Amino acid sequence: KKKMMMMNAFVVLLLAVLAVVGVSGHGAVTQPLPRNRIDYTEQPWASGVPSPVPFEPWCPYPTSAPGQTGLTGDNAQACFWFSNGCSIGCPKPDGKTRGPIPNQPQFRHKMNVCGNHFNATVCDPALRTVNTAAECGADDDFYYYSPWRAPGSSGVFDACGMAGGTLVAGGYGAQYQNTTHAKQGDLGSKMLPPMPTGTKWKRGTAVEVAWALQANHGGGYQYRLCPADRDLTEDCFQETPLDFVGQQSLRWNGKNGTQVWIKTVTVTEGVVPAGSQWRKNPIPRNDTKQTGASFAPPCEEIPDCGDTLMNSKCLCSGMWGPYNLEIVDLVHIPDNLPPGDYVLGWRWDCEESNQIWASCSDVTVTV
């Protein structure tokens, strides 16, 4: 009986640990809506977002539909397309390495998936998003090999993401709910069909794009274009990275909601493609017991809002969402870009995890 009680206690402890560490970051483009939402007509996504919002398999964001308010499930599982096990300078992910978790002894170390000892280029604490007090490269700079520490240098499974991030479903959010449209391990560029959005952008202009967090793993992101009639590869997208225009903004409750412009951090040195523009994820996790020193929220945050709670009261910080928030940018469509159909690629290089998220949206460029 004593052994049974000890075993039960161990199981409870193990489950508690898994509940803390078994989550990976999730995010997706919300404007223009991506191909990755391919399951949006199926259940449960077609029936609305439950409250409170569960983790899997939801990618909620605020609706902008006329006469509607609240969250929509219209992006289905768009935020479950990613690459798991990515490190700076490594040409391929290993599919299994989630990344450091400093408050867990077995995960309290740097994680380089290919052993190449690539040098991080993002070292300035002002550019980093977690464990910002650690000296760059020091033993306690646990996230040194995470993708954001040399933006764009980490290889991915697919430029439009892999369903569930790995070939075989596993922990840390590496799961995809199989449907008639897609299944675990599918490659976005190979099996996601074009999904016309009606978005038309005039070349030489600044256009609005947006993305939303489901689970926050810091780092930063880039937008880029690839002609729709070409293979959607990293090489193709890297030919046309888009420059940002002006500041980032935060938008709550959709296009008819509240929008504020914030202090913006843009990174152009030590990135791939060379000289291209990346932007720091402006939302701090603030789970300092797990990920070390953070940075200040970009808005006037609610005191004690519950940064680590899945359904918090936070406005612009925390590990989850906030679900009614979008991160909005203007990007410049190159003046000399040939008109035609393109795919907008979005790549989010995480820092708190060895993971990279991707979305691919159909757009048309006009003269």
Side-chain angles (χ1 to χ4, degrees), residues 61-64 68-72 253-254 324:
Y61 73 100
T63 183
S64 292
Q68 297 184 24
T69 59
L71 301 177
T72 176
N253 301 318
N324 68 335

Side-chain angles (χ1 to χ4, degrees), residues 132-181:
T132 57
E135 180 182 351
C136 185
D139 290 344
D140 64 345
D141 186 7
F142 303 113
Y143 304 105
Y144 185 81
Y145 293 113
S146 296
W148 176 241
R149 298 300 293 274
S153 70
S154 304
V156 295
F157 285 128
D158 190 271
C160 294
M162 173 185 281
T166 66
L167 289 173
V168 180
Y172 313 119
Q175 297 187 34
Y176 192 88
Q177 183 167 307
N178 295 343
T179 69
T180 58
H181 295 109

Side-chain angles (χ1 to χ4, degrees), residues 17-263:
V17 169
L18 290 175
V20 172
V21 306
V23 178
S24 61
H26 291 71
V29 166
T30 57
Q31 181 187 344
L33 287 170
R35 296 180 178 188
N36 309 72
R37 64 191 280 262
I38 190 169
D39 303 313
Y40 77 101
T41 59
E42 297 200 12
Q43 298 296 337
W45 308 283
S47 295
V49 180
S51 180
V53 177
F55 175 34
E56 296 170 342
W58 291 93
C59 305
Y61 73 100
T63 183
S64 292
Q68 297 184 24
T69 59
L71 301 177
T72 176
D74 202 33
N75 236 7
Q77 298 185 89
C79 65
F80 287 83
W81 292 81
F82 66 105
S83 296
N84 196 48
C86 307
S87 288
I88 56 175
C90 293
K92 295 180 180 179
D94 70 2
K96 59 184 180 181
T97 301
R98 181 267 181 206
I101 306 173
N103 64 347
Q104 300 296 327
Q106 66 271 41
F107 301 120
R108 187 180 171 83
H109 58 87
K110 302 173 186 178
M111 296 190 181
N112 182 340
V113 305
C114 68
N116 65 348
H117 303 295
F118 197 83
N119 291 326
T121 58
V122 171
C123 281
D124 185 343
L127 307 181
R128 288 152 53 186
T129 53
V130 288
N131 201 27
T132 57
E135 180 182 351
C136 185
D139 290 344
D140 64 345
D141 186 7
F142 303 113
Y143 304 105
Y144 185 81
Y145 293 113
S146 296
W148 176 241
R149 298 300 293 274
S153 70
S154 304
V156 295
F157 285 128
D158 190 271
C160 294
M162 173 185 281
T166 66
L167 289 173
V168 180
Y172 313 119
Q175 297 187 34
Y176 192 88
Q177 183 167 307
N178 295 343
T179 69
T180 58
H181 295 109
K183 65 182 185 303
Q184 181 81 32
D186 279 347
L187 299 178
S189 69
K190 304 298 183 183
M191 61 73 54
L192 291 175
M195 295 184 68
T197 61
T199 300
K200 293 183 178 182
W201 290 338
K202 186 177 180 180
R203 67 184 184 184
T205 63
V207 299
E208 189 175 83
V209 291
W211 66 285
L213 283 161
Q214 195 255 26
N216 183 8
H217 282 247
Y221 59 96
Q222 182 182 72
Y223 289 96
R224 57 264 186 94
L225 289 171
C226 175
D229 60 358
R230 287 181 55 183
D231 291 338
L232 302 180
T233 63
E234 276 294 306
D235 287 343
C236 182
F237 281 115
Q238 288 179 8
E239 291 177 11
T240 314
L242 299 179
D243 288 344
F244 292 102
V245 178
Q247 295 173 283
Q248 283 170 318
S249 65
L250 303 182
R251 184 171 68 200
W252 292 269
N253 301 318
K255 294 180 181 179
N256 297 318
T258 301
Q259 188 168 0
V260 299
W261 280 259
I262 60 173
K263 181 179 179 181

Side-chain angles (χ1 to χ4, degrees), residues 165-365:
T166 66
L167 289 173
V168 180
Y172 313 119
Q175 297 187 34
Y176 192 88
Q177 183 167 307
N178 295 343
T179 69
T180 58
H181 295 109
K183 65 182 185 303
Q184 181 81 32
D186 279 347
L187 299 178
S189 69
K190 304 298 183 183
M191 61 73 54
L192 291 175
M195 295 184 68
T197 61
T199 300
K200 293 183 178 182
W201 290 338
K202 186 177 180 180
R203 67 184 184 184
T205 63
V207 299
E208 189 175 83
V209 291
W211 66 285
L213 283 161
Q214 195 255 26
N216 183 8
H217 282 247
Y221 59 96
Q222 182 182 72
Y223 289 96
R224 57 264 186 94
L225 289 171
C226 175
D229 60 358
R230 287 181 55 183
D231 291 338
L232 302 180
T233 63
E234 276 294 306
D235 287 343
C236 182
F237 281 115
Q238 288 179 8
E239 291 177 11
T240 314
L242 299 179
D243 288 344
F244 292 102
V245 178
Q247 295 173 283
Q248 283 170 318
S249 65
L250 303 182
R251 184 171 68 200
W252 292 269
N253 301 318
K255 294 180 181 179
N256 297 318
T258 301
Q259 188 168 0
V260 299
W261 280 259
I262 60 173
K263 181 179 179 181
T264 303
V265 177
T266 303
V267 179
T268 59
E269 296 182 2
V271 301
V272 177
S276 64
Q277 296 188 0
W278 293 73
R279 278 200 165 162
K280 175 181 173 180
N281 172 2
I283 309 300
R285 279 174 60 97
N286 283 351
D287 61 328
T288 55
K289 290 183 179 179
Q290 177 170 312
T291 60
S294 186
F295 60 99
C299 73
E300 186 174 346
E301 188 56 278
I302 298 172
D304 302 318
C305 60
D307 290 292
T308 61
L309 300 178
M310 188 176 297
N311 288 268
S312 75
K313 298 178 181 178
C314 299
L315 298 174
C316 58
S317 66
M319 292 174 60
W320 301 90
Y323 305 126
N324 68 335
L325 174 68
E326 293 170 284
I327 300 166
V328 183
D329 292 280
L330 294 178
V331 293
H332 180 261
I333 305 305
D335 298 350
N336 59 353
L337 192 69
D341 293 330
Y342 287 82
V343 173
L344 174 73
W346 168 82
R347 171 172 163 150
W348 172 25
D349 281 24
C350 295
E351 183 175 10
E352 193 273 336
S353 63
N354 285 62
Q355 297 166 322
I356 294 173
W357 261 259
S359 289
C360 284
S361 308
D362 290 283
V363 300
T364 299
V365 173

